[in-house]
């Protein structure tokens, strides 16, 4: 379990399962760098932690201004621009 | 340095209906983003819980979700009442192999599995797990203090192929 600091926010539980990931996640996480950090900078930090770039067609959509990565287990997530 | 969990993005067929259902379930308010998605936010006083963002995809749900929500309750009695209310509103009981678990596995109107716990927090409940969940939780901050609420303009989604 990952617990956020403070109270109220949901925990994030990581559960071992037997089945393999076969399709794009239907529910995924968006993460947002803290103010003053760009999505490129944050994505580079996440890559050093093991995230990888993935192409799920986002480059075909001009509205996409976020970066799509996958965690070490292949789970897609987005790094969205800071406020 | 860390990053904050801004939102959980849900691919669905009917985002408006899904946002309405989950909004009523959680007591959250829905709005439409500039990209036409449905954004559910917790109460304004809650600046830590990530939002839920519902977007449209053409493909149907194909397999058990690898990311799901756990809903809290206050007690086993409260859990039973909550499950009954959710089922009355369109949730269905989901059999994903769980047996004898203290949590109840349901599916929302689009078939997305979620769990209703018999307690307020969980270190031992999740859909689909047959693994032992008795490992003590290890505190690990993953959100910096001082982060701001997610903004409506932050709506993002993984586009469908």
């Amino acid at each position: 379990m990952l617990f956020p600091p403070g109270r109220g926010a949901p925990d994030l539980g990581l559960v071992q399962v037997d089945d393999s990931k076969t399709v794009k996640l239907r529910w995924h996480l968006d993460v947002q760098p803290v103010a003053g950090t760009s999505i490129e900078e944050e994505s580079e930090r996440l890559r050093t932690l093991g995230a990888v770039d993935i192409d799920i067609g986002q480059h075909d959509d001009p509205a996409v201004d976020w970066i799509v990565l996958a965690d070490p287990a292949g789970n897609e997530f987005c790094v969205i621009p800071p406020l | 340095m860390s990053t904050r969990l801004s939102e959980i993005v849900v691919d669905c067929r009917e985002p408006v209906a899904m946002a309405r259902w989950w909004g009523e379930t959680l007591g959250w308010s829905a709005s439409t983003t500039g990209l036409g998605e449905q954004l559910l936010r917790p109460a304004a006083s809650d600046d830590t819980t990530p939002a839920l963002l519902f977007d449209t995809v053409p493909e149907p749900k194909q397999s058990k979700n690898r990311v799901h929500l756990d809903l809290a309750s206050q007690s086993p009695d409260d859990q039973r009442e909550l499950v009954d209310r959710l089922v009355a509103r369109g949730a269905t009981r989901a059999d994903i192999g769980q047996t004898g678990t203290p949590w109840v596995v349901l599916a929302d109107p689009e078939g997305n599995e979620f769990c209703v716990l018999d307690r307020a927090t969980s270190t031992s409940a999740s859909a689909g797990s047959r693994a032992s969940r008795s490992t003590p939780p290890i505190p690990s901050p993953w959100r910096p203090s001082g982060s701001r609420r997610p903004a409506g303009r932050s709506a993002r989604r993984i586009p469908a192929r």
Side-chain angles (χ1 to χ4, degrees), chain B residues 19-37:
Chain B
R20 183 183 304 120
W21 195 85
W22 278 102
E24 291 173 354
T25 297
L26 299 171
W28 293 8
S29 299
S31 60
T32 302
T33 73
L35 295 175
E37 303 136 327

Side-chain angles (χ1 to χ4, degrees), chain A residues 1-5 7-12 15-35 37 42 45 55-58 61 63-66 68 75-76 78 80-83, chain B residues 1-13 22 48-50 57 59-63 65-67 69 108 112 122 126 129-131 133 137-138 140-144 148-149 151 153-154 156-159 161:
Chain A
M1 299 289 289
L2 292 181
F3 294 92
R7 296 171 60 88
D11 308 327
L12 186 62
V15 184
Q16 187 173 28
V17 296
D18 296 332
D19 49 309
S20 301
K21 182 175 183 290
T22 56
V23 297
K24 178 169 72 71
L25 291 181
R26 199 142 177 99
W27 294 51
H28 72 263
L29 307 183
D30 277 1
V31 298
Q32 188 175 47
V34 296
T37 302
E42 182 61 15
R45 185 183 75 91
D55 180 0
I56 56 168
Q58 71 270 23
D61 186 342
V64 172
D65 63 353
W66 56 92
V68 184
N75 297 296
E76 306 89 0
C78 297
I80 68 172
L83 300 176
Chain B
M1 184 169 63
S2 63
T3 191
R4 70 180 295 271
L5 180 55
S6 175
E7 60 226 6
I8 300 170
V9 184
V10 182
D11 290 352
C12 44
R13 305 300 294 270
W22 278 102
T48 56
T49 299
V57 297
E59 70 272 15
K61 181 175 182 291
Q62 300 178 49
S63 60
N65 286 341
R66 284 178 87 78
V67 176
L69 301 185
D108 71 16
N112 297 291
S122 172
S126 185
S129 172
R130 290 184 293 276
R133 305 292 304 282
I138 302 172
S140 175
W142 46 265
R143 176 182 171 277
R148 291 175 289 173
R149 286 180 53 76
R153 59 164 290 279
S154 70
R156 299 292 182 270
R157 85 253 185 261
I158 293 179
R161 280 190 178 278

Side-chain angles (χ1 to χ4, degrees), chain B residues 52-73:
Chain B
L52 289 176
L53 181 67
F54 299 87
D55 72 335
T56 308
V57 297
E59 70 272 15
K61 181 175 182 291
Q62 300 178 49
S63 60
K64 179 172 71 67
N65 286 341
R66 284 178 87 78
V67 176
H68 71 263
L69 301 185
D70 282 355
L71 302 186
S73 70

